[in-house]
Amino acid sequence: MVSALVFASASYAASAPSSLQPPGWDRDLKLREAPDLNPDPHIVEIDLDARIARVEVAPGVRADAWTYNGGIPGPLIRVHVGDRLIVHFTNHLPQPTTVHWHGIRVPIQMDGVPDVSQPAVQPGGAFTYDFVVPDAGLYWYHPHVMSAAQVGFGLSGALLVEDSAEQVGVADETVIVLSDIGIDAHGQLDSPDSGGSTGMAFGREGGYVLVNGKVKPRLVARSGAPQRWRIVNAAKSRFFQIDLDGQKIIRIGGDGGLLARPVTLDALVLAPGERADVVVAPKLKPGSELEILSFPFNRGYGSVEYRSAEPLMTLAIDDEPPYQGVVAPTTQRAIEPISTAGATPVNIEFTLVQRPDGTFEYGINGSPFAKGKPISARPGETQVWTIVNKTKWSHPFHLHGFFFQVLDAEGKHVEPLEWKDTVNVPLEQTVKVVVRYDDRAGSWMFHCHILDHADGGLMGTVDLGVPHVEHSGHTH
Ligand code: C2O
Ligand code: CU
């Protein structure tokens, strides 16, 4: 009997791993999901609205937040790679808004940038987003109108694009949306202008750190058993540096799906906008608890001074004897390095100037977004961007519409290869990336994902012209 069971589980192991965690292990983290209204298996059709709703982030800590479908974060949208996603969006906020699908290679008309993609959706108005999701991975959605204010008030959600062909071998998976929110003692949301221009120059962080909309939720796990965390940093300014008190973190994926091969980390750093796909298997005494902390990460003046580690969630180990299996994901993905031969160099510098009245203004090459000149690109062109940051704060660079690969100082690809749409450019450092455009014409934004910095001027556009069509007569 016993040997038959062992045999059965071994023969299934390769295709469908079975759950090793206690039932309800991630109940406290479970995100609401948007119900699919379309019976077609390859179309996911949902209703999404933006509205003010009362949320409770911790016992007794309530505020009227800005929400998608009434909660923080917004509903988890779950689709399969290659699906068509249709989102009927309605705006019940007192301000115009849009929805941007961060990281998804959509056509420009679906990118959620006001005036470029669509007119902003006015209060009481609606817009239907309709596009195909071409790449597996964890993405997210958020407004692109007054982003610092609107994301900071609570508007963001996760979009998980699954791929049934992916063989990770870990059955227990949970989606983790990290964010923060500022709520004062009277239940009022922090003003998006708090601290004035200096607050903008730093990047405002909310006083409550949230994991799936809650302060310090609880995860129950079996010691040593693997769990897969799909994490997005949806905070408007805060970085997270997650350390599992000596337990290894195996990163198998990032912004645009799986890495070429896994890497083992002691700590995981996520800048605003970035995602990580990790496997962890904390081996702790049955019945014990581990407080999972985020350690201060140096993103410039004010980010580490007088600050201590912040609790994210509690990992409670159940009473089962530790799982003895081997946890070593061997995911492999063939990623072609984008050749830099013949690439067009693009040099940009992130700048911060103090105006005569003492206020700060961010810019690209000295020009704030409103006065900047676009970078031009052609379909099929490869560009190597050298991004110089001489300011005293770090800036996570995000490009809309296209993935890039990160290069080292000598111009070699950083290993293991991965597809990224957001990369941190540390204070007083330079980062190089290589990008190859396709034929999705349009005006594509790039900006710092510390949203106060973006709104403060650190934003620009890539003008990808309409492809030239040869007129070669009619073909039938
Ligand atoms: Cu999450 Cu313009 O970006
Ligand atoms: Cu920035």
Side-chain angles (χ1 to χ4, degrees):
M1 196 58 209
V2 169
S3 64
L5 275 174
V6 170
F7 179 78
S9 67
S11 63
Y12 284 122
S15 53
S18 45
S19 172
L20 297 169
Q21 299 297 348
W25 69 290
D26 68 341
R27 187 183 299 128
D28 216 14
L29 264 76
K30 271 261 177 289
L31 294 167
R32 297 166 304 135
E33 294 196 20
D36 179 6
L37 309 170
N38 195 308
D40 185 318
H42 302 293
I43 302 176
V44 172
E45 187 165 2
I46 64 164
D47 286 330
L48 187 73
D49 69 24
R51 67 176 115 119
I52 294 177
R54 174 133 294 207
V55 297
E56 184 169 60
V57 299
V61 183
R62 297 184 201 93
D64 290 326
W66 290 28
T67 72
Y68 288 119
N69 290 7
I72 295 181
L76 171 64
I77 303 174
R78 196 187 284 271
V79 292
H80 194 265
V81 66
D83 281 354
R84 175 175 167 202
L85 174 63
I86 303 170
V87 179
H88 301 285
F89 175 69
T90 316
N91 179 13
H92 298 299
L93 299 170
Q95 259 178 26
T97 192
T98 58
V99 186
H100 168 61
W101 307 94
H102 183 123
I104 305 277
R105 296 188 297 144
V106 292
I108 193 73
Q109 294 79 4
M110 295 294 131
D111 201 42
V113 173
D115 306 325
V116 171
S117 305
Q118 62 176 105
V121 184
Q122 297 302 314
F127 187 85
T128 297
Y129 295 91
D130 184 345
F131 52 86
V132 167
V133 288
D135 308 287
L138 179 66
Y139 302 91
W140 64 298
Y141 57 95
H142 63 77
H144 227 283
V145 175
M146 302 184 66
S147 315
Q150 295 194 359
V151 173
F153 287 165
L155 290 170
S156 63
L159 167 53
L160 183 60
V161 184
E162 299 182 305
D163 181 356
S164 50
E166 247 173 33
Q167 300 267 333
V168 174
V170 179
D172 301 297
E173 174 181 320
T174 197
V175 175
I176 297 178
V177 181
L178 301 175
S179 66
D180 61 20
I181 195 165
I183 302 173
D184 72 12
H186 310 286
Q188 296 298 311
L189 295 175
D190 283 356
S191 158
D193 305 317
S194 65
S197 174
T198 311
M200 181 282 291
F202 174 60
R204 301 166 180 104
E205 299 182 11
Y208 290 95
V209 172
L210 305 182
V211 175
N212 293 2
K214 296 177 181 173
V215 171
K216 263 185 85 174
R218 205 177 163 81
L219 203 55
V220 184
R222 178 176 175 195
S223 180
Q227 37 187 308
R228 183 178 180 190
W229 295 349
R230 318 289 305 261
I231 315 173
V232 49
N233 180 357
K236 65 173 179 170
S237 300
R238 193 183 231 96
F239 282 55
F240 292 91
Q241 176 163 232
I242 303 168
D243 175 318
L244 296 183
D245 196 25
Q247 306 279 338
K248 295 275 174 259
I249 299 173
I250 305 168
R251 189 166 79 91
I252 60 170
D255 296 347
L258 295 178
L259 308 184
R261 58 178 163 80
V263 282
T264 301
L265 309 171
D266 292 321
L268 173 71
V269 175
L270 281 175
E274 279 189 304
R275 284 87 70 206
D277 188 351
V278 301
V279 174
V280 299
K283 214 160 211 159
L284 296 159
K285 212 164 125 278
S288 68
E289 280 190 357
L290 172 69
E291 184 158 76
I292 297 178
L293 301 171
S294 173
F295 288 81
F297 179 78
N298 185 11
R299 65 170 183 91
Y301 182 72
S303 60
V304 288
E305 293 82 359
Y306 320 110
R307 288 179 63 158
S308 44
E310 299 169 322
L312 295 180
M313 54 184 172
T314 303
L315 185 68
I317 302 297
D318 73 1
D319 293 323
E320 290 294 305
Y323 173 74
Q324 299 296 349
V326 182
V327 180
T330 53
T331 48
Q332 299 267 337
R333 179 176 175 199
I335 297 179
E336 182 77 22
I338 303 175
S339 168
T340 57
T344 313
V346 172
N347 297 299
I348 63 167
E349 189 180 331
F350 293 159
T351 49
L352 176 63
V353 296
Q354 198 163 12
R355 300 189 192 91
D357 67 357
T359 60
F360 293 100
E361 179 180 86
Y362 275 110
I364 307 288
N365 299 338
S367 302
F369 176 60
K371 300 182 199 139
K373 134 171 178 306
I375 287 164
S376 48
R378 282 171 291 105
E381 181 179 0
T382 303
Q383 294 183 340
V384 171
W385 287 40
T386 302
I387 307 164
V388 177
N389 176 12
K390 289 190 186 143
T391 76
K392 299 216 171 303
W393 287 286
S394 300
H395 303 294
F397 166 84
H398 170 52
L399 174 64
H400 284 208
F402 301 90
F403 291 116
F404 51 77
Q405 294 172 350
V406 180
L407 305 174
D408 64 17
E410 277 86 59
K412 292 208 202 54
H413 290 79
V414 169
E415 299 275 346
L417 287 171
E418 67 174 307
W419 293 109
K420 287 192 67 63
D421 55 58
T422 307
V423 64
N424 186 35
V425 185
L427 58 140
E428 294 165 333
Q429 288 187 39
T430 295
V431 164
K432 281 178 194 279
V433 302
V434 57
V435 57
R436 178 170 297 151
Y437 302 101
D438 57 29
D439 60 1
R440 283 169 302 130
S443 189
W444 298 96
M445 306 241 93
F446 64 89
H447 57 87
C448 176
H449 224 289
I450 291 180
L451 297 170
D452 283 312
H453 296 179
D455 290 355
L458 222 174
M459 184 149 73
T461 52
V462 174
D463 248 330
L464 184 60
V466 182
H468 182 70
V469 182
E470 293 291 337
H471 289 278
S472 51
H474 292 283
T475 47
H476 289 281

